[in-house]
């Protein structure tokens, strides 16, 4: 009976007369489509996260391609699927080659493939480094807002790491109404810290800008801490650095030693996804033999199932949820389609016709 019903459903599904058009969307187009829409994108990412939490969007485990001759490099595949109003499948293909920096190239590059929900056909290839940075910043600001409720609004923010993610987080904080008396930055590269300071000055921020000589001073001097480094192993080991109970956005997932998480209220985006690939939460699970150190997910906080105490540091440690990339990418695709600005590749699909 199940087979008959499935066949009946398949028979009633509309069959397209031809393959859907395939478009290529450049990074410049992506940036223009997202510019100045910080509040809207935060809401978009929140809606995507709700779909994920409700089981209407899925992110498969990431697949990591490594290279024997380049142990520091990797390429990560993040497949995902979204239902609800978004209705799209896709894959983020993210390369991280730290040695690019010696040649003056960004460490990370990425593309994202969107697939039609009904036919599975690819419909677009988008430059995705901008998308990844944007969704990370939007998600971070959402978490900062919700996890910080019940606390005084932070007057001092510190950025450990001065790359594109740090800049995007600041852009989203400023674009959603946050302001600070002091903005601190520390980066292992003096040039990187100076560049971030220059970015802040061009933004004409009203807060005092402080470049810290070390990570400890930055963290101790900040009520909101943004960790956005490329560290492959923990570099913050002493829980006493967080004795002043800051809110920590742990966006680079390996910065904190397990002992720091165990001394904090640790909130993640997805329990399974965060316990992989030697991330800080994964190391804490190995150390303790369990997951009791996790206080809950951001969805638990949003739904009121978990209350965030004010007497401990709070660490938000998200993973790479491909559904958030998909939500932002589909928004860009739809905006360009409505504006008639899609660059369609004619005759892209040349597969054999279906018999009959």
């Amino acid at each position: 009976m199940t087979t008959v019903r499935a066949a009946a459903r398949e028979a009633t599904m509309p069959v397209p007369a031809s393959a859907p058009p395939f478009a290529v969307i450049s990074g410049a187009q992506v940036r223009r489509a997202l510019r100045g829409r910080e509040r809207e994108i935060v809401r978009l990412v929140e809606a995507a996260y709700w779909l994920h939490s409700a089981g209407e969007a899925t992110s498969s485990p990431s697949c990591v391609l490594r290279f024997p001759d380049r142990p520091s490099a990797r390429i990560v595949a993040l497949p995902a699927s979204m239902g609800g109003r978004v209705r799209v499948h896709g894959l983020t293909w993210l390369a991280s080659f730290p040695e690019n920096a010696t040649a003056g190239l960004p460490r990370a590059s990425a593309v994202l493939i969107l697939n039609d929900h009904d036919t599975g056909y690819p419909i677009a290839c988008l430059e995705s480094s901008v998308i990844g940075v944007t969704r990370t910043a939007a998600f971070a600001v959402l978490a900062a807002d919700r996890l910080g409720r019940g606390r005084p609004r932070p007057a001092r923010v510190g950025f450990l790491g001065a790359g594109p993610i740090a800049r995007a987080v600041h852009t989203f904080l400023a674009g959603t109404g946050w302001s600070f008396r002091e903005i601190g930055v520390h980066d292992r590269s003096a040039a990187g810290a100076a560049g971030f300071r220059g970015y802040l000055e061009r933004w004409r921020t009203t807060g005092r800008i402080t470049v810290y000589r070390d990570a400890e001073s930055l963290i101790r001097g900040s009520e909101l801490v943004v960790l956005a480094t490329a560290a492959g192993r923990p570099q913050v080991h002493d829980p006493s650095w967080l004795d002043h109970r800051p809110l920590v956005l742990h966006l680079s997932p390996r910065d904190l030693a397990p002992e720091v998480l165990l001394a904090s209220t640790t909130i993640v985006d997805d329990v399974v996804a965060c316990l992989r690939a030697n991330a800080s939460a994964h190391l804490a699970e190995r150390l303790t033999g369990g997951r009791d150190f996790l206080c809950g997910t951001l969805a638990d906080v949003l739904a009121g199932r978990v209350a965030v105490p004010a007497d401990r540091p709070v660490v938000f440690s998200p993973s790479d949820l491909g559904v958030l990339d998909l939500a932002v990418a589909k928004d860009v695709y739809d905006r360009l389609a409505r504006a008639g600005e899609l660059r369609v590749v004619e005759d892209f699909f040349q597969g054999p016709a279906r018999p009959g």
Side-chain angles (χ1 to χ4, degrees), residues 306-324:
V306 168
V308 180
D311 60 347
R312 304 184 77 200
V314 176
V315 174
F316 176 60
S317 192
S319 57
D320 285 325
L321 290 180
V323 296
L324 305 185

Side-chain angles (χ1 to χ4, degrees), residues 239-313:
S240 71
W241 291 12
L242 278 65
D243 279 349
H244 57 300
R245 302 188 297 276
L247 171 58
V248 180
L249 302 176
H250 188 206
L251 307 181
S252 39
R254 297 173 182 84
D255 276 309
L256 299 179
E259 294 78 7
V260 177
L261 295 186
L262 298 181
S264 306
T265 296
T266 301
I267 303 293
V268 297
D269 56 354
D270 181 275
V271 172
V272 175
C274 76
L275 299 175
R276 295 179 184 146
N278 292 322
S280 295
H282 191 195
L283 297 180
E285 181 190 34
R286 288 179 176 176
L287 179 66
T288 62
R291 304 175 178 181
D292 291 345
F293 69 94
L294 296 177
C295 299
T297 66
L298 182 59
D300 292 327
V301 175
L302 295 176
R305 295 187 294 268
V306 168
V308 180
D311 60 347
R312 304 184 77 200

Side-chain angles (χ1 to χ4, degrees), residues 71-342:
S72 65
R74 59 179 182 164
I75 304 180
V76 182
L78 294 170
S81 175
M82 296 193 70
R85 296 182 178 180
V86 183
R87 289 175 52 81
V88 74
H89 319 296
L91 172 76
T92 299
W93 185 239
L94 170 64
S96 176
F97 280 57
E99 294 176 0
N100 283 352
T102 60
L105 289 172
R107 171 184 61 85
S109 59
V111 294
L112 187 150
I113 301 295
L114 286 179
N115 294 76
D116 179 70
H117 182 274
D118 295 329
T119 67
Y121 266 79
I123 56 174
C125 176
L126 301 87
E127 197 284 334
S128 192
S129 64
V130 177
I131 289 171
V133 166
T134 297
R135 65 91 165 162
T136 299
F139 200 38
V141 170
L142 171 67
D145 177 63
R146 300 307 175 90
L147 298 179
R149 292 186 178 181
R151 294 172 167 233
R153 200 71 178 260
R156 298 172 298 166
V157 60
F159 293 88
L160 182 58
I165 289 178
R167 297 189 184 200
V169 171
H170 174 265
T171 297
F172 268 77
L173 287 168
T176 53
W178 293 65
S179 60
F180 302 95
R181 188 175 68 246
E182 179 182 339
I183 301 175
V185 59
H186 171 71
D187 194 280
R188 290 183 176 181
S189 164
F196 190 79
R197 179 175 193 138
Y199 154 80
L200 292 173
E201 290 171 345
R202 291 191 297 274
W203 189 274
R204 297 181 181 178
T205 179
T206 57
R208 184 174 72 253
I209 303 170
T210 303
V211 176
Y212 286 86
R213 293 185 177 181
D214 57 80
E216 179 180 357
S217 300
L218 173 87
I219 292 173
R220 289 187 182 275
S222 304
E223 296 155 356
L224 174 63
V225 180
V226 180
L227 302 180
T229 77
R233 59 178 62 90
Q235 57 179 331
V236 179
H237 296 270
D238 189 346
S240 71
W241 291 12
L242 278 65
D243 279 349
H244 57 300
R245 302 188 297 276
L247 171 58
V248 180
L249 302 176
H250 188 206
L251 307 181
S252 39
R254 297 173 182 84
D255 276 309
L256 299 179
E259 294 78 7
V260 177
L261 295 186
L262 298 181
S264 306
T265 296
T266 301
I267 303 293
V268 297
D269 56 354
D270 181 275
V271 172
V272 175
C274 76
L275 299 175
R276 295 179 184 146
N278 292 322
S280 295
H282 191 195
L283 297 180
E285 181 190 34
R286 288 179 176 176
L287 179 66
T288 62
R291 304 175 178 181
D292 291 345
F293 69 94
L294 296 177
C295 299
T297 66
L298 182 59
D300 292 327
V301 175
L302 295 176
R305 295 187 294 268
V306 168
V308 180
D311 60 347
R312 304 184 77 200
V314 176
V315 174
F316 176 60
S317 192
S319 57
D320 285 325
L321 290 180
V323 296
L324 305 185
D325 295 285
L326 277 193
V328 176
K330 185 58 162 48
D331 176 81
V332 170
Y333 176 88
D334 289 343
R335 289 178 69 87
L336 294 176
R338 288 194 298 269
E341 296 177 2
L342 288 178

